Amino acid sequence: MSLWSLALANVWALRRRLVGLVVLVSAAVAVCLGAFAITDRAQAVTTSDVKESTANRSITIDPPGEGSGNPLLTARSVKELSELPRVESVQYRLQASFGLVTDDGNGPLLYATTYRAALPPPVVDAVREDLFPLRAGEVVLPSRSQGFDLTPYLGKKVTATTNRFVREGEGTGVDQPVTVVGLYDATWQLDNPDAAYADDATVIRWAAERNGRPVKDFVDTVGYDQLTVVARKESDVPGLTRQIQDRHYTATTLRQVLDTLPGILELLRVAGQVLLVVLGLLAFAGTVTATGALARRRAQEIGILKAVGFRTRFVLALLVAEMSLVAAVAAVVGVVLGVGLAGAGAAGLRTVPELKPYVEQALPLPSAGLLLPLVAAAVLVVVAGSLGPARRAARMSPTQAMKDW
């Protein structure tokens, strides 16, 4: 009989005595995994598909608050910021809402958005390889939006219904055919969960018609929703950000936005790290106690093994292998419980409006980079805790072992 098969048989025979250790280790894994999974997925949602090289060089400028006196984000602003030293490009974002009319007459409300090369959406399917810049009358839709599956419309003409200003408080619907030339991953939310990309001229026209302004001077008077300034080098970002802020623009670096999570999510992350240490120490102490107690109860078994010729090294390996199997089982149970705990925690966090954008609707499954080290750590803690008692038990002579040790 091999070492591992004998260890497995012993673990099964001693399963009732090992329940406490399994509960302790699985609880430690579950609690830590639940906390880490929520914060890990929240960070993934925040940084979803952002190209690091561009993100590290990007500065986002938001429109001024009402009554702030700060400058509007107009074409003049784009020109002014483009002339600053160390600026590679200034890219604008403008959005205009439209209703998408599907085959059955229903569809989601989307936001036509200008394309920014600094933040390209993650396209999953398209009618041609070089999708951007878009041509007049073309749109790129999310693969899903507001419960509608939009994948069947790729390559087809659909109707976009926009609103044209008539007088204060009154507008009229305008229908326009558009062609769906691409679909992007709906988890991309940097431009709005329901953004749809269209050519610049179309977006500007729709926004101007909605506001009742002439199309020709809309970007000079009303302006854009947001600007993205891309620095030439990452090291230029801090100084360039200060220059932009000195001109009374509301500027933040995209890297700051991506690295910032709400306080409660940061608290969960820190709590998970503290719990990992505390529960790891408890699991270690529990393993030392459990292994020592089992060795004392199995003294005669160990004595027989030594008497029939099994070496100290084999007995030690057997005892450690048994604890390794127990740890593996406990880790698997802990992973299952941890996923459930993460799901319950995420459901609770989604009820908080400030946290909802950071928490996925799907079950927050942990990444492999989080799961594997945590499971390995659990097994290593148990193995480390078992070494001392197992070594003392394995070194007993057959005479000693046959007594009540």
Side-chain angles (χ1 to χ4, degrees):
M1 182 177 288
S2 69
L3 172 70
W4 287 102
S5 59
L6 181 58
L8 182 60
N10 288 343
V11 169
W12 179 253
L14 297 167
R15 59 188 181 278
R16 292 183 180 177
R17 296 178 181 177
L18 294 169
V19 168
L21 181 59
V22 171
V23 170
L24 178 61
V25 176
S26 59
V29 172
V31 172
C32 296
L33 184 64
F36 288 147
I38 292 174
T39 54
D40 182 57
R41 298 311 302 165
Q43 186 70 53
V45 168
T46 310
T47 61
S48 176
D49 295 307
V50 174
K51 291 186 176 180
E52 292 291 331
S53 59
T54 303
N56 285 335
R57 296 185 291 117
S58 296
I59 302 167
T60 300
I61 304 177
D62 292 318
E66 187 174 349
S68 66
N70 291 345
L72 296 172
L73 307 183
T74 62
R76 180 179 178 180
S77 302
V78 174
K79 184 176 185 300
E80 175 192 358
L81 295 170
S82 299
E83 293 173 350
L84 290 175
R86 299 172 293 180
V87 171
E88 181 179 288
S89 65
V90 179
Q91 301 169 23
Y92 54 81
R93 187 192 75 178
L94 182 64
Q95 292 188 315
S97 61
F98 71 96
L100 186 70
V101 183
T102 58
D103 294 339
D104 59 3
N106 297 315
L109 176 67
L110 301 174
Y111 294 87
T113 306
T114 53
Y115 170 75
R116 291 179 291 177
L119 297 169
V123 175
V124 294
D125 203 358
V127 298
R128 62 175 182 268
E129 185 173 349
D130 296 322
L131 194 57
F132 297 102
L134 296 173
R135 301 162 190 165
E138 294 183 338
V139 294
V140 176
L141 304 179
S143 56
R144 294 187 63 84
S145 179
Q146 301 165 27
F148 290 91
D149 180 9
L150 303 180
T151 55
Y153 300 99
L154 180 64
K156 298 182 179 179
K157 282 188 176 295
V158 294
T159 300
T161 301
T162 60
N163 189 57
R164 178 179 293 165
F165 179 87
V166 176
R167 61 181 61 89
E168 189 66 35
E170 183 180 345
T172 182
V174 179
D175 290 344
Q176 174 181 327
V178 293
T179 303
V180 182
V181 295
L183 298 166
Y184 72 89
D185 186 345
T187 61
W188 171 267
Q189 297 188 0
L190 286 184
D191 280 322
N192 190 298
D194 301 306
Y197 296 88
D199 65 284
D200 290 7
T202 297
V203 178
I204 293 171
R205 177 166 55 83
W206 287 355
E209 289 176 350
R210 182 177 183 83
N211 284 271
R213 300 295 185 92
V215 175
K216 63 179 181 179
D217 61 1
F218 180 80
V219 297
D220 294 316
T221 56
V222 178
Y224 303 105
D225 298 328
Q226 192 179 80
L227 297 180
T228 297
V229 178
V230 182
R232 291 176 183 170
K233 296 184 297 184
E234 182 185 346
S235 59
D236 294 334
V237 170
L240 187 55
T241 303
R242 285 192 294 272
Q243 282 186 291
I244 295 171
Q245 291 171 342
D246 288 343
R247 285 167 169 75
H248 306 292
Y249 291 102
T250 305
T252 58
T253 64
L254 185 58
R255 189 71 265 160
Q256 290 172 331
V257 174
L258 297 177
D259 286 342
T260 302
L261 290 177
I264 191 170
L265 293 177
E266 282 295 340
L267 181 61
L268 277 175
R269 175 183 290 170
V270 173
Q273 293 170 347
V274 173
L275 285 170
L276 180 63
V277 175
V278 173
L279 294 176
L281 293 174
L282 288 176
F284 181 86
T287 304
V288 171
T289 303
T291 306
L294 285 173
R296 287 191 294 271
R297 288 178 177 273
R298 299 167 64 193
Q300 290 186 347
E301 176 189 338
I302 294 171
I304 292 173
L305 288 174
K306 299 294 290 288
V308 297
F310 285 97
R311 295 184 177 181
T312 298
R313 183 181 301 175
F314 179 86
V315 177
L316 173 61
L318 177 63
L319 295 175
V320 173
E322 292 172 5
M323 289 299 103
S324 300
L325 292 174
V326 172
V329 171
V332 171
V333 174
V335 168
V336 175
L337 293 175
V339 170
L341 185 62
L349 293 175
R350 281 195 292 269
T351 63
V352 182
E354 293 80 3
L355 301 178
K356 187 176 181 180
Y358 296 89
V359 184
E360 292 178 323
Q361 293 296 323
L363 186 67
L365 296 175
S367 63
L370 169 67
L371 183 61
L372 296 179
L374 187 58
V375 170
V379 174
L380 287 174
V381 165
V382 173
V383 170
S386 68
L387 282 174
R391 187 180 291 111
R392 289 195 299 270
R395 286 176 176 175
M396 288 189 298
S397 65
T399 305
Q400 288 178 302
M402 296 300 287
K403 298 177 182 179
D404 290 331
W405 177 74

Short mmCIF file of all heavy atoms in Angstrom, two decimals, residues 52-53 55-58 231-239 255:
data_model
loop_
_atom_site.label_atom_id
_atom_site.label_comp_id
_atom_site.label_asym_id
_atom_site.label_seq_id
_atom_site.Cartn_x
_atom_site.Cartn_y
_atom_site.Cartn_z
N GLU A 52 -3.08 49.79 -19.73
CA GLU A 52 -2.27 50.43 -18.70
C GLU A 52 -1.40 51.55 -19.26
O GLU A 52 -1.27 52.60 -18.66
CB GLU A 52 -1.40 49.39 -18.00
CG GLU A 52 -2.19 48.40 -17.16
CD GLU A 52 -2.80 49.03 -15.92
OE1 GLU A 52 -2.23 50.01 -15.42
OE2 GLU A 52 -3.85 48.56 -15.49
N SER A 53 -0.80 51.34 -20.42
CA SER A 53 0.12 52.34 -20.94
C SER A 53 -0.58 53.67 -21.17
O SER A 53 -0.05 54.74 -20.87
CB SER A 53 0.76 51.85 -22.24
OG SER A 53 -0.24 51.58 -23.20
N ALA A 55 -3.63 54.52 -19.84
CA ALA A 55 -4.26 54.96 -18.59
C ALA A 55 -3.27 55.72 -17.72
O ALA A 55 -3.63 56.73 -17.09
CB ALA A 55 -4.83 53.76 -17.83
N ASN A 56 -2.05 55.27 -17.67
CA ASN A 56 -1.05 55.93 -16.83
C ASN A 56 -0.68 57.31 -17.33
O ASN A 56 -0.09 58.10 -16.60
CB ASN A 56 0.21 55.06 -16.75
CG ASN A 56 0.03 53.87 -15.84
OD1 ASN A 56 -0.81 53.89 -14.95
ND2 ASN A 56 0.79 52.82 -16.08
N ARG A 57 -1.02 57.61 -18.58
CA ARG A 57 -0.68 58.91 -19.15
C ARG A 57 -1.91 59.78 -19.36
O ARG A 57 -1.83 60.85 -19.97
CB ARG A 57 0.05 58.72 -20.49
CG ARG A 57 1.39 58.02 -20.37
CD ARG A 57 2.12 57.95 -21.70
NE ARG A 57 1.49 57.05 -22.65
CZ ARG A 57 0.97 57.40 -23.81
NH1 ARG A 57 0.99 58.68 -24.18
NH2 ARG A 57 0.43 56.52 -24.61
N SER A 58 -3.07 59.36 -18.87
CA SER A 58 -4.32 60.06 -19.14
C SER A 58 -4.75 60.94 -17.98
O SER A 58 -4.63 60.55 -16.82
CB SER A 58 -5.43 59.05 -19.45
OG SER A 58 -5.14 58.34 -20.64
N ALA A 231 -0.76 62.62 -21.83
CA ALA A 231 0.61 63.15 -21.73
C ALA A 231 1.56 62.32 -22.57
O ALA A 231 1.29 61.15 -22.88
CB ALA A 231 1.05 63.16 -20.27
N ARG A 232 2.69 62.90 -22.92
CA ARG A 232 3.66 62.17 -23.73
C ARG A 232 4.33 61.06 -22.95
O ARG A 232 4.61 59.99 -23.48
CB ARG A 232 4.72 63.15 -24.25
CG ARG A 232 4.19 64.13 -25.27
CD ARG A 232 5.24 65.14 -25.69
NE ARG A 232 4.69 66.13 -26.62
CZ ARG A 232 5.31 67.23 -26.99
NH1 ARG A 232 6.53 67.49 -26.51
NH2 ARG A 232 4.74 68.07 -27.82
N LYS A 233 4.58 61.29 -21.65
CA LYS A 233 5.20 60.28 -20.80
C LYS A 233 4.46 60.23 -19.47
O LYS A 233 3.85 61.22 -19.04
CB LYS A 233 6.68 60.60 -20.57
CG LYS A 233 7.55 60.59 -21.81
CD LYS A 233 9.02 60.81 -21.45
CE LYS A 233 9.24 62.18 -20.83
NZ LYS A 233 10.67 62.45 -20.56
N GLU A 234 4.54 59.08 -18.82
CA GLU A 234 3.88 58.93 -17.52
C GLU A 234 4.44 59.93 -16.51
O GLU A 234 3.70 60.48 -15.68
CB GLU A 234 4.08 57.50 -17.01
CG GLU A 234 3.40 57.23 -15.68
CD GLU A 234 3.71 55.84 -15.15
OE1 GLU A 234 4.22 55.01 -15.92
OE2 GLU A 234 3.45 55.61 -13.96
N SER A 235 5.73 60.20 -16.57
CA SER A 235 6.35 61.13 -15.62
C SER A 235 5.86 62.56 -15.80
O SER A 235 6.04 63.40 -14.92
CB SER A 235 7.87 61.08 -15.75
OG SER A 235 8.27 61.40 -17.08
N ASP A 236 5.25 62.86 -16.98
CA ASP A 236 4.74 64.21 -17.22
C ASP A 236 3.39 64.46 -16.56
O ASP A 236 2.96 65.62 -16.46
CB ASP A 236 4.59 64.46 -18.74
CG ASP A 236 5.93 64.47 -19.46
OD1 ASP A 236 6.94 64.79 -18.81
OD2 ASP A 236 5.95 64.17 -20.66
N VAL A 237 2.71 63.39 -16.13
CA VAL A 237 1.32 63.52 -15.68
C VAL A 237 1.16 64.44 -14.47
O VAL A 237 0.28 65.32 -14.47
CB VAL A 237 0.72 62.12 -15.41
CG1 VAL A 237 -0.64 62.23 -14.70
CG2 VAL A 237 0.57 61.36 -16.71
N PRO A 238 1.94 64.29 -13.38
CA PRO A 238 1.72 65.16 -12.21
C PRO A 238 1.83 66.65 -12.53
O PRO A 238 0.96 67.45 -12.16
CB PRO A 238 2.80 64.71 -11.22
CG PRO A 238 3.11 63.30 -11.61
CD PRO A 238 2.99 63.28 -13.09
N GLY A 239 2.90 67.04 -13.22
CA GLY A 239 3.09 68.45 -13.55
C GLY A 239 2.02 68.96 -14.50
O GLY A 239 1.52 70.08 -14.35
N ARG A 255 -5.46 57.15 -13.52
CA ARG A 255 -4.84 56.18 -12.61
C ARG A 255 -5.39 56.34 -11.19
O ARG A 255 -5.63 55.36 -10.49
CB ARG A 255 -3.33 56.39 -12.60
CG ARG A 255 -2.52 55.34 -11.89
CD ARG A 255 -2.52 54.03 -12.66
NE ARG A 255 -3.53 53.10 -12.22
CZ ARG A 255 -3.97 52.10 -12.95
NH1 ARG A 255 -3.52 51.89 -14.15
NH2 ARG A 255 -4.88 51.29 -12.49
#
